[in-house]
Amino acid sequence: MSSLIPPPLPMELHAGNRKKLLDPIRLHLSSSNRPLHGFVLLQGGEEKNRYCTDHAELFRQESYFAYLFGVKEPDFYGAIDIASGKSILFIPRLPDDYAVWLGEIKPLSHFKETYMVDMVFYVDELIQVFTEHFKGSGKPLLYLLYGLNTDSSNFSKPASFEGMEKFETDLTTLHPILAECRVIKSDLELQLIQFANDISSEAHVEVMRRVKPGMKEYQMESMFLHHTYMYGGCRHCSYTCICATGDNSAVLHYGHAAAPNDRTFEDGDLALLDMGGEYHFYASDITCSFPVNGRFTSDQSLIYNAVLDAHNSVISAMKPGVNWVDMHRLAERIILESLKKGSILTGDVDEMMIERLGAVFMPHGLGHFMGIDTHDTGGYPMGVERPKEAGLKSLRTARDLLEGMVITVEPGCYFIKALLVPAMENAKTSKFFNRETIERFKNLGGVRIESDLVVTANGCKNMTNVPRETKEIEAVMAGAPWPPVTTGNHYTK
């Protein structure tokens, strides 16, 4: 059960996002001595069938279009008149038999009211509408979305339609401005991200309580998805669930089609569950690591607490102006110091940092921007260089933190044979390894702890609410309430 109630979907959020875009795009045009006319034009996502069949895949809106218009249906176009600021939706003209198979054909007025836009027309009226509303001279000008996603190395798809040769198009202006708009979250966006975190945190706790040795990994995934959908209305997940146990927890993106969360886990295994529900396009991204039998061994505690200390230290240090590369280095240093205390490593930690030994145990970046996409936009805008060193090159941003950013903090420590063996054979790094001790840990897998943080004026706020201390996890897995019940000056666990 859940005490949470899915919040209403605030279309004023998207109206605010459209307004947020107008100021910087107008400023850019003015500073470039260009006229303040033309249309921002985005093409929404298209519904796809499974290969050659008539099976329609579950549709999820393209993220930039979702950000500006909040539209859940496929095959729309959306525009903003730069001169007037007015918004326009173009909807597909549906055939009569749509009403037989797929439901009521809604009038234009329905979409105008639902999505809080100024005008609604049919897609086949697009050329006529732009021509009639364009206030400049010559051909109407369209600002199209085309630019590099620095996480995927893919380019966004600019809008296209039959008859585009009748227009002037600009493919360079819109993308960097709109991508940067998405970096700083509004209060309404934060409310949706918080709900996605609340229901996903609750689902993680539910899985902890119900897990038992001998189950399948996909049963944990199923429990999580059921809870977020049943009680949170999260029809979509933010990303493919990672439900790794044993050695699988050292596979960073486990859970894909070739490794489909299908192992039967055993007493003594650690589980690493990276799962997040999505609510009205907005993501959560949470990772919990815990022993499937409900009790940490001393070796598991050593690695878990190394990661937890890194997680907590980064959160304590976060505030506007702090550089994210420095936060990654901080997490690495704390993990290396803990491994040295546990006699897994030996030698000088400063020297380990120089030799990039931290990347052997944490090859991924410390965290990433999060919003309408799990790996949200804006990580590497013009002028921000990607580091080239091992581990650091995997960072999804190297920026200084700003108030209103939402970013994940997800340090990890993994025993990945493909990285450990070369490092233990390398002349520069072999001296750091206590081979006798590391043999004991080589099959442990890995630990990751991930929370979602919003940067505030003086620090940050943790939007994730799951047990983190080993004693808290063991208590919850034994049936204690979460969050702990407050009774006077005491906490009941």
Side-chain angles (χ1 to χ4, degrees), residues 78-268:
I80 305 170
D81 184 334
I82 290 173
S84 68
K86 289 187 176 179
S87 53
I88 312 168
L89 273 182
F90 296 93
I91 74 169
R93 198 184 293 270
L94 301 172
D96 290 342
D97 65 354
Y98 181 99
V100 177
W101 299 100
L102 296 170
E104 178 188 359
I105 298 176
K106 297 180 175 69
L108 296 177
S109 58
H110 165 83
F111 298 99
K112 183 176 185 295
E113 181 180 342
T114 298
Y115 293 120
M116 293 180 64
V117 292
D118 297 301
M119 294 173 275
V120 180
F121 300 95
Y122 291 107
V123 170
D124 56 34
E125 299 174 304
L126 194 148
I127 294 175
Q128 177 187 345
V129 169
F130 284 151
T131 303
E132 290 178 354
H133 284 79
F134 184 65
K135 303 301 183 187
S137 59
K139 293 180 178 180
L141 175 59
L142 304 178
Y143 291 92
L144 307 179
L145 186 71
Y146 179 73
L148 179 69
N149 183 310
T150 57
D151 281 300
S152 66
S153 297
N154 295 326
F155 284 83
S156 52
K157 176 187 173 184
S160 63
F161 56 90
E162 192 173 339
M164 186 167 263
E165 68 278 0
K166 295 180 172 65
F167 300 87
E168 288 186 34
T169 57
D170 179 312
L171 288 169
T172 60
T173 299
L174 179 59
H175 186 272
I177 295 173
L178 184 53
E180 189 64 19
C181 285
R182 286 174 54 182
V183 171
I184 305 300
K185 274 45 179 190
S186 68
D187 288 344
L188 288 173
E189 288 181 291
L190 290 174
Q191 288 173 24
L192 294 179
I193 295 170
Q194 184 62 68
F195 177 75
N197 260 269
D198 289 344
I199 193 66
S200 298
S201 295
E202 200 176 75
H204 271 280
V205 171
E206 182 69 9
V207 174
M208 282 185 194
R209 289 197 173 116
R210 296 177 61 183
V211 71
K212 290 183 177 60
M215 295 174 70
K216 291 281 192 180
E217 292 167 335
Y218 58 68
Q219 290 178 285
M220 297 188 288
E221 178 180 18
S222 176
M223 285 186 274
F224 178 86
L225 296 176
H226 171 75
H227 192 94
T228 55
Y229 196 2
M230 179 78 174
Y231 301 109
C234 299
R235 193 172 195 189
H236 291 275
C237 215
S238 300
Y239 49 92
T240 302
C241 291
I242 298 170
C243 296
T245 61
D247 280 352
N248 293 339
S249 57
V251 180
L252 300 180
H253 284 168
Y254 183 73
H256 55 87
N261 295 330
D262 61 354
R263 177 177 177 268
T264 303
F265 49 86
E266 303 169 1
D267 196 346

Side-chain angles (χ1 to χ4, degrees), residues 32 59 86 91 100 165 167-168 180 197 201-202 283-284 296 309 314 364-365 368 399 459 462 486:
S32 307
F59 176 74
K86 289 187 176 179
I91 74 169
V100 177
E165 68 278 0
F167 300 87
E168 288 186 34
E180 189 64 19
N197 260 269
S201 295
E202 200 176 75
S284 61
F296 284 90
D309 286 347
V314 167
H364 60 72
H368 50 80
R399 293 178 63 164
N462 194 341
T486 306

Side-chain angles (χ1 to χ4, degrees), residues 235-487:
R235 193 172 195 189
H236 291 275
C237 215
S238 300
Y239 49 92
T240 302
C241 291
I242 298 170
C243 296
T245 61
D247 280 352
N248 293 339
S249 57
V251 180
L252 300 180
H253 284 168
Y254 183 73
H256 55 87
N261 295 330
D262 61 354
R263 177 177 177 268
T264 303
F265 49 86
E266 303 169 1
D267 196 346
D269 284 342
L270 270 178
L272 186 160
L273 304 188
D274 189 339
M275 307 182 289
E278 174 184 297
Y279 186 75
H280 187 60
F281 311 121
Y282 282 86
S284 61
D285 188 357
I286 300 170
T287 306
C288 296
S289 299
F290 55 86
V292 298
N293 64 8
R295 302 294 295 180
F296 284 90
T297 66
S298 58
D299 284 350
Q300 290 170 346
S301 291
L302 191 161
I303 304 305
Y304 183 89
N305 285 323
V307 177
L308 182 62
D309 286 347
H311 170 272
N312 293 346
S313 296
V314 167
I315 290 173
S316 295
M318 285 173 61
K319 61 182 179 180
V322 167
N323 182 262
W324 197 239
V325 179
D326 291 341
M327 293 295 93
H328 182 100
R329 290 183 185 277
L330 172 62
E332 279 187 332
R333 177 176 290 277
I334 289 171
I335 289 169
L336 291 173
E337 287 172 348
S338 296
L339 296 181
K340 180 179 176 180
K341 286 179 187 175
S343 299
I344 296 170
L345 299 177
T346 184
D348 184 67
V349 173
D350 287 337
E351 192 177 348
M352 295 178 198
M353 292 288 290
I354 292 169
E355 297 297 340
R356 301 301 308 133
L357 193 67
V360 174
F361 295 95
M362 188 175 78
H364 60 72
L366 173 66
H368 50 80
F369 292 148
M370 191 190 78
I372 271 188
D373 286 316
T374 310
H375 297 155
D376 218 17
T377 61
Y380 288 97
M382 189 79 69
V384 178
E385 294 290 324
R386 183 184 290 273
K388 296 179 173 57
E389 300 169 86
L392 300 177
K393 66 184 178 183
S394 297
L395 278 164
R396 297 182 185 272
T397 187
R399 293 178 63 164
D400 292 345
L401 297 181
L402 298 171
E403 183 179 358
M405 285 177 170
V406 173
I407 195 163
T408 66
V409 173
E410 50 178 305
C413 181
Y414 316 87
F415 294 85
I416 304 170
K417 295 176 180 65
L419 296 176
L420 273 174
V421 172
M424 292 173 72
E425 294 174 350
N426 184 294
K428 291 183 177 181
T429 54
S430 61
K431 62 184 178 182
F432 297 122
F433 293 93
N434 185 330
R435 293 170 188 273
E436 183 178 334
T437 308
I438 210 165
E439 187 71 20
R440 205 170 76 226
F441 287 83
K442 67 179 183 180
N443 295 318
L444 181 138
V447 168
R448 181 162 65 252
I449 299 172
E450 179 180 17
S451 301
D452 303 337
L453 284 297
V454 57
V455 181
T456 61
N458 301 310
C460 63
K461 174 182 177 250
N462 194 341
M463 306 175 86
T464 303
N465 183 15
V466 292
R468 290 305 194 193
E469 301 292 337
T470 55
K471 288 183 179 179
E472 292 175 339
I473 292 170
E474 290 177 345
V476 166
M477 294 185 74
W482 185 264
V485 177
T486 306
T487 56

